[in-house]
Amino acid sequence: MQKLTLKGFKENYYYKTDLEKLCKQYKLPSYGTKAELNHYLQLYLSGKPPQEIKAVRSSHHNNSGVKQINLNTKIVGSRFSFNNEARKFFANYFGVKNFHFKKGMAIIKRKAEAENDTNMIVADLINEYTKLKKTPNRSKILKRTSEENTYQWNNFVKNFCQSPESKKFNNKLKVAAILWQHVRNSSKPKKYRPELINIYQSEIKQYKK
């Protein structure tokens, strides 16, 4: 089996299950988000011994979570999680019937866990999320996070569907999938580029309007 290098790792696309298998193979922490697993592997491939690579978050979760959530509940160390109990709390706090957890909240929570911020409480989470919502360049801030950078397929589809070229096709998702297969298996950046339409026109011409 060909030895995995840092350069080869960065050039290829991996599903989360692939990253988990690689982490187990190299005796690295195998729990976490795609961004965290990517981070562990890049540290290892950069020469850091596996025994020195520690998980940024604990994999031990109690499904029961916190029995009673309030504004002073700690985000780290209290078994707080985004479960039904938390959903009810936030629905009541924001005065809505159905509350849906937002990406920004998850990013703030994961950051607190990664930094082991045992001082952050639910009130802080709400305040930071409220400030983030009011930030004019909120979408750009979210895109700069390491976790957002792992959503390569989602971003590829979104960028293709918003491009002028996509208007020429009936089945945009099918065309995006064909183009993505080539991009995913190449050493090029995993991003949509207009020139892909010309390069692979023989494979996608059947989907033209």
Side-chain angles (χ1 to χ4, degrees), residues 14-206:
Y14 297 91
Y15 292 105
K16 188 177 180 182
T17 51
D18 298 326
L19 296 174
E20 289 171 341
K21 288 177 183 177
L22 285 171
C23 284
K24 289 176 181 177
Q25 178 183 333
Y26 296 120
K27 297 181 172 26
L28 305 173
S30 57
Y31 165 81
T33 64
K34 281 190 70 176
E36 289 164 352
L37 299 177
N38 266 306
H39 178 63
Y40 302 146
L41 285 161
Q42 289 193 34
L43 286 176
Y44 172 76
L45 294 170
S46 296
K48 191 165 187 175
Q51 63 269 23
E52 294 181 13
I53 301 173
K54 306 299 182 183
V56 296
R57 294 187 295 134
S58 171
S59 63
H60 302 295
H61 290 288
N62 187 319
N63 291 332
S64 63
V66 184
K67 291 184 179 180
Q68 192 170 14
I69 298 172
N70 57 59
L71 290 173
N72 292 314
T73 298
K74 289 184 176 293
I75 299 300
V76 178
S78 69
R79 294 188 180 134
F80 172 83
S81 63
F82 289 150
N83 54 16
N84 286 334
E85 191 63 32
R87 194 186 304 278
K88 291 176 186 176
F89 172 83
F90 286 118
N92 181 62
Y93 181 86
F94 289 110
V96 295
K97 185 176 181 181
N98 296 309
F99 178 82
H100 301 284
F101 296 112
K102 306 299 182 182
K103 184 187 296 183
M105 293 186 80
I107 288 173
I108 294 168
K109 178 176 178 288
R110 281 198 293 266
K111 183 174 182 290
E113 292 171 334
E115 296 176 355
N116 195 31
D117 184 356
T118 56
N119 292 318
M120 176 175 271
I121 57 178
V122 170
D124 298 324
L125 173 65
I126 292 172
N127 289 336
E128 286 199 26
Y129 175 65
T130 301
K131 285 192 291 185
L132 180 61
K133 281 202 306 180
K134 295 178 180 178
T135 304
N137 59 342
R138 172 176 169 269
S139 60
K140 290 183 179 180
I141 292 173
L142 292 176
K143 285 182 179 179
R144 285 201 297 266
T145 66
S146 58
E147 187 62 25
E148 182 68 16
N149 290 334
T150 65
Y151 302 149
Q152 294 163 310
W153 157 245
N154 292 341
N155 290 332
F156 186 92
V157 173
K158 179 182 177 181
N159 292 335
F160 169 72
C161 290
Q162 291 178 345
S163 71
E165 301 83 42
S166 68
K167 296 177 182 178
K168 303 174 184 177
F169 300 95
N170 288 312
N171 193 333
K172 293 183 180 182
L173 190 58
K174 181 65 177 179
V175 173
I178 292 172
L179 298 177
W180 169 250
Q181 289 298 318
H182 290 288
V183 171
R184 188 194 70 181
N185 297 327
S186 75
S187 60
K188 300 286 186 182
K190 307 302 182 268
K191 297 179 180 180
Y192 170 72
R193 310 186 307 277
E195 57 264 32
L196 294 171
I197 300 295
N198 292 326
I199 297 173
Y200 302 108
Q201 60 178 323
S202 62
E203 297 179 45
I204 60 178
K205 62 183 180 182
Q206 60 181 307

